Amino acid sequence: MDRVRRGLHALTRSRFFGAVSERLLISDLKQVSRYFTEPGLRAAARARVEELLTPETRVVVGHSLGSVVAYEALCAVAPAPDRGPLTLVTLGSPLGLAGLVFDRLQPVPGGWPTAVKRWTNLADRGDVVALVRELAPLFGPELQDLTVDNGSEMHSMRAYLTAAQTGTAIATGLAV
């Protein structure tokens, strides 16, 4: 499985694959395609996340495309004196996919959301959506990357949410 993951990751960086990757991978996933090609939809999704952030919010959890929306929304949110530090927990995230997601992030990719104090990223070894399991090299060494075993449900939100590592990340964020 690790060879397949490395091979797919290498393909996302190749010029040929980059030219056809949207058709092969993103266009088949209508939500992802729409998010990146419809500015109004993207703005509305980000605005909805921002709207849900209150002074009581301590942890933001994003699965799959939700991790992309959460990241972009949190990049747009300034730290507020009436809000404690935020924890971001990403599950099965495609944020590290070069050419497909990472290079399309707004603002320019690789920044740390200023309102976020702690970020934990969880990925299953076989989750092809989270092909780039380690996000710390892209977003900063403060990011904690953890590997989970979701069994045969590699990208299942339920499997991610019931993983002990997810519970620990959320509990740690709530304790701050």
Side-chain angles (χ1 to χ4, degrees), residues 146-169:
L146 300 175
T147 303
V148 297
D149 182 359
N150 291 339
S152 63
E153 299 179 329
M154 283 95 49
H155 191 63
S156 164
M157 181 171 53
R158 182 190 57 75
Y160 275 113
L161 287 173
T162 58
Q165 297 93 326
T166 303
T168 300

mmCIF file of all heavy atoms in Angstrom, residues 146-169:
data_model
loop_
_atom_site.group_PDB
_atom_site.id
_atom_site.type_symbol
_atom_site.label_atom_id
_atom_site.label_comp_id
_atom_site.label_asym_id
_atom_site.label_seq_id
_atom_site.Cartn_x
_atom_site.Cartn_y
_atom_site.Cartn_z
ATOM 1 N N LEU A 146 -0.724 12.432 12.826
ATOM 2 C CA LEU A 146 -0.919 11.121 13.437
ATOM 3 C C LEU A 146 -1.504 10.162 12.413
ATOM 4 O O LEU A 146 -2.328 10.553 11.581
ATOM 5 C CB LEU A 146 -1.875 11.218 14.629
ATOM 6 C CG LEU A 146 -1.459 12.136 15.777
ATOM 7 C CD1 LEU A 146 -2.569 12.227 16.816
ATOM 8 C CD2 LEU A 146 -0.168 11.645 16.416
ATOM 9 N N THR A 147 -1.099 8.913 12.500
ATOM 10 C CA THR A 147 -1.642 7.883 11.626
ATOM 11 C C THR A 147 -2.647 7.060 12.422
ATOM 12 O O THR A 147 -2.390 6.711 13.580
ATOM 13 C CB THR A 147 -0.516 6.975 11.101
ATOM 14 O OG1 THR A 147 0.444 7.790 10.420
ATOM 15 C CG2 THR A 147 -1.054 5.933 10.144
ATOM 16 N N VAL A 148 -3.792 6.791 11.799
ATOM 17 C CA VAL A 148 -4.804 5.953 12.423
ATOM 18 C C VAL A 148 -5.055 4.743 11.538
ATOM 19 O O VAL A 148 -4.667 4.733 10.363
ATOM 20 C CB VAL A 148 -6.134 6.721 12.654
ATOM 21 C CG1 VAL A 148 -5.937 7.874 13.619
ATOM 22 C CG2 VAL A 148 -6.725 7.215 11.353
ATOM 23 N N ASP A 149 -5.707 3.740 12.092
ATOM 24 C CA ASP A 149 -6.064 2.552 11.328
ATOM 25 C C ASP A 149 -7.585 2.444 11.298
ATOM 26 O O ASP A 149 -8.210 2.074 12.287
ATOM 27 C CB ASP A 149 -5.448 1.306 11.958
ATOM 28 C CG ASP A 149 -5.747 0.038 11.163
ATOM 29 O OD1 ASP A 149 -6.445 0.116 10.129
ATOM 30 O OD2 ASP A 149 -5.286 -1.026 11.592
ATOM 31 N N ASN A 150 -8.168 2.803 10.159
ATOM 32 C CA ASN A 150 -9.619 2.759 9.996
ATOM 33 C C ASN A 150 -10.095 1.436 9.397
ATOM 34 O O ASN A 150 -11.232 1.330 8.952
ATOM 35 C CB ASN A 150 -10.094 3.917 9.102
ATOM 36 C CG ASN A 150 -9.940 5.251 9.791
ATOM 37 O OD1 ASN A 150 -9.853 5.335 11.000
ATOM 38 N ND2 ASN A 150 -9.899 6.318 9.005
ATOM 39 N N GLY A 151 -9.210 0.456 9.364
ATOM 40 C CA GLY A 151 -9.583 -0.836 8.804
ATOM 41 C C GLY A 151 -9.975 -0.707 7.341
ATOM 42 O O GLY A 151 -9.332 0.001 6.577
ATOM 43 N N SER A 152 -11.028 -1.382 6.955
ATOM 44 C CA SER A 152 -11.457 -1.364 5.552
ATOM 45 C C SER A 152 -12.204 -0.090 5.178
ATOM 46 O O SER A 152 -12.497 0.139 4.012
ATOM 47 C CB SER A 152 -12.341 -2.581 5.249
ATOM 48 O OG SER A 152 -13.518 -2.524 6.026
ATOM 49 N N GLU A 153 -12.493 0.763 6.164
ATOM 50 C CA GLU A 153 -13.199 2.028 5.913
ATOM 51 C C GLU A 153 -12.203 3.183 5.965
ATOM 52 O O GLU A 153 -12.333 4.107 6.758
ATOM 53 C CB GLU A 153 -14.305 2.223 6.941
ATOM 54 C CG GLU A 153 -15.356 1.140 6.919
ATOM 55 C CD GLU A 153 -16.423 1.368 7.980
ATOM 56 O OE1 GLU A 153 -16.117 1.943 9.042
ATOM 57 O OE2 GLU A 153 -17.559 0.973 7.731
ATOM 58 N N MET A 154 -11.213 3.126 5.065
ATOM 59 C CA MET A 154 -10.081 4.039 5.140
ATOM 60 C C MET A 154 -10.451 5.522 5.199
ATOM 61 O O MET A 154 -9.798 6.287 5.875
ATOM 62 C CB MET A 154 -9.137 3.816 3.954
ATOM 63 C CG MET A 154 -8.273 2.598 4.086
ATOM 64 S SD MET A 154 -8.862 1.080 3.312
ATOM 65 C CE MET A 154 -9.334 1.457 1.694
ATOM 66 N N HIS A 155 -11.483 5.946 4.470
ATOM 67 C CA HIS A 155 -11.833 7.370 4.429
ATOM 68 C C HIS A 155 -13.125 7.681 5.183
ATOM 69 O O HIS A 155 -13.615 8.796 5.158
ATOM 70 C CB HIS A 155 -11.934 7.843 2.969
ATOM 71 C CG HIS A 155 -12.029 9.326 2.843
ATOM 72 N ND1 HIS A 155 -11.028 10.184 3.256
ATOM 73 C CD2 HIS A 155 -13.014 10.133 2.370
ATOM 74 C CE1 HIS A 155 -11.383 11.431 3.032
ATOM 75 N NE2 HIS A 155 -12.595 11.428 2.504
ATOM 76 N N SER A 156 -13.656 6.728 5.881
ATOM 77 C CA SER A 156 -14.924 6.899 6.590
ATOM 78 C C SER A 156 -14.823 7.940 7.699
ATOM 79 O O SER A 156 -13.959 7.860 8.577
ATOM 80 C CB SER A 156 -15.348 5.558 7.198
ATOM 81 O OG SER A 156 -16.338 5.736 8.182
ATOM 82 N N MET A 157 -15.750 8.907 7.662
ATOM 83 C CA MET A 157 -15.772 9.917 8.713
ATOM 84 C C MET A 157 -16.060 9.259 10.064
ATOM 85 O O MET A 157 -15.463 9.616 11.074
ATOM 86 C CB MET A 157 -16.818 10.988 8.417
ATOM 87 C CG MET A 157 -16.860 12.075 9.460
ATOM 88 S SD MET A 157 -17.882 13.491 9.068
ATOM 89 C CE MET A 157 -19.448 12.764 8.682
ATOM 90 N N ARG A 158 -16.944 8.284 10.089
ATOM 91 C CA ARG A 158 -17.270 7.593 11.328
ATOM 92 C C ARG A 158 -16.018 6.938 11.918
ATOM 93 O O ARG A 158 -15.756 7.039 13.117
ATOM 94 C CB ARG A 158 -18.357 6.538 11.097
ATOM 95 C CG ARG A 158 -18.780 5.821 12.379
ATOM 96 C CD ARG A 158 -19.680 4.626 12.108
ATOM 97 N NE ARG A 158 -19.107 3.635 11.228
ATOM 98 C CZ ARG A 158 -18.150 2.768 11.569
ATOM 99 N NH1 ARG A 158 -17.633 2.788 12.767
ATOM 100 N NH2 ARG A 158 -17.688 1.885 10.694
ATOM 101 N N ALA A 159 -15.247 6.279 11.063
ATOM 102 C CA ALA A 159 -14.028 5.623 11.548
ATOM 103 C C ALA A 159 -13.042 6.649 12.106
ATOM 104 O O ALA A 159 -12.433 6.419 13.157
ATOM 105 C CB ALA A 159 -13.390 4.810 10.423
ATOM 106 N N TYR A 160 -12.883 7.758 11.415
ATOM 107 C CA TYR A 160 -11.985 8.805 11.922
ATOM 108 C C TYR A 160 -12.489 9.360 13.256
ATOM 109 O O TYR A 160 -11.719 9.562 14.191
ATOM 110 C CB TYR A 160 -11.850 9.952 10.917
ATOM 111 C CG TYR A 160 -10.801 9.718 9.854
ATOM 112 C CD1 TYR A 160 -11.162 9.552 8.519
ATOM 113 C CD2 TYR A 160 -9.451 9.687 10.169
ATOM 114 C CE1 TYR A 160 -10.202 9.361 7.537
ATOM 115 C CE2 TYR A 160 -8.478 9.501 9.199
ATOM 116 C CZ TYR A 160 -8.860 9.335 7.880
ATOM 117 O OH TYR A 160 -7.894 9.145 6.918
ATOM 118 N N LEU A 161 -13.795 9.628 13.329
ATOM 119 C CA LEU A 161 -14.339 10.238 14.545
ATOM 120 C C LEU A 161 -14.296 9.306 15.745
ATOM 121 O O LEU A 161 -14.276 9.775 16.887
ATOM 122 C CB LEU A 161 -15.771 10.715 14.305
ATOM 123 C CG LEU A 161 -15.900 11.961 13.437
ATOM 124 C CD1 LEU A 161 -17.368 12.243 13.133
ATOM 125 C CD2 LEU A 161 -15.247 13.173 14.103
ATOM 126 N N THR A 162 -14.283 8.008 15.520
ATOM 127 C CA THR A 162 -14.248 7.068 16.641
ATOM 128 C C THR A 162 -12.824 6.606 16.977
ATOM 129 O O THR A 162 -12.651 5.819 17.900
ATOM 130 C CB THR A 162 -15.151 5.847 16.365
ATOM 131 O OG1 THR A 162 -14.723 5.212 15.150
ATOM 132 C CG2 THR A 162 -16.611 6.259 16.251
ATOM 133 N N ALA A 163 -11.837 7.120 16.276
ATOM 134 C CA ALA A 163 -10.442 6.779 16.581
ATOM 135 C C ALA A 163 -10.024 7.447 17.893
ATOM 136 O O ALA A 163 -10.362 8.611 18.149
ATOM 137 C CB ALA A 163 -9.518 7.232 15.447
ATOM 138 N N ALA A 164 -9.298 6.712 18.704
ATOM 139 C CA ALA A 164 -8.846 7.246 19.993
ATOM 140 C C ALA A 164 -8.026 8.524 19.812
ATOM 141 O O ALA A 164 -8.146 9.465 20.604
ATOM 142 C CB ALA A 164 -8.024 6.186 20.734
ATOM 143 N N GLN A 165 -7.212 8.571 18.760
ATOM 144 C CA GLN A 165 -6.362 9.751 18.525
ATOM 145 C C GLN A 165 -7.221 10.999 18.260
ATOM 146 O O GLN A 165 -6.844 12.099 18.647
ATOM 147 C CB GLN A 165 -5.423 9.509 17.333
ATOM 148 C CG GLN A 165 -4.449 8.382 17.548
ATOM 149 C CD GLN A 165 -4.966 7.051 17.026
ATOM 150 O OE1 GLN A 165 -6.148 6.745 17.059
ATOM 151 N NE2 GLN A 165 -4.061 6.226 16.529
ATOM 152 N N THR A 166 -8.351 10.820 17.588
ATOM 153 C CA THR A 166 -9.253 11.956 17.332
ATOM 154 C C THR A 166 -9.835 12.444 18.646
ATOM 155 O O THR A 166 -9.866 13.657 18.920
ATOM 156 C CB THR A 166 -10.385 11.551 16.367
ATOM 157 O OG1 THR A 166 -9.803 11.061 15.151
ATOM 158 C CG2 THR A 166 -11.285 12.728 16.059
ATOM 159 N N GLY A 167 -10.302 11.519 19.469
ATOM 160 C CA GLY A 167 -10.845 11.897 20.778
ATOM 161 C C GLY A 167 -9.829 12.637 21.626
ATOM 162 O O GLY A 167 -10.164 13.635 22.271
ATOM 163 N N THR A 168 -8.596 12.173 21.600
ATOM 164 C CA THR A 168 -7.535 12.834 22.364
ATOM 165 C C THR A 168 -7.285 14.244 21.847
ATOM 166 O O THR A 168 -7.138 15.181 22.634
ATOM 167 C CB THR A 168 -6.240 11.997 22.314
ATOM 168 O OG1 THR A 168 -6.503 10.715 22.888
ATOM 169 C CG2 THR A 168 -5.103 12.672 23.065
ATOM 170 N N ALA A 169 -7.225 14.415 20.519
ATOM 171 C CA ALA A 169 -6.991 15.742 19.935
ATOM 172 C C ALA A 169 -8.113 16.710 20.297
ATOM 173 O O ALA A 169 -7.866 17.880 20.634
ATOM 174 C CB ALA A 169 -6.853 15.623 18.421
#
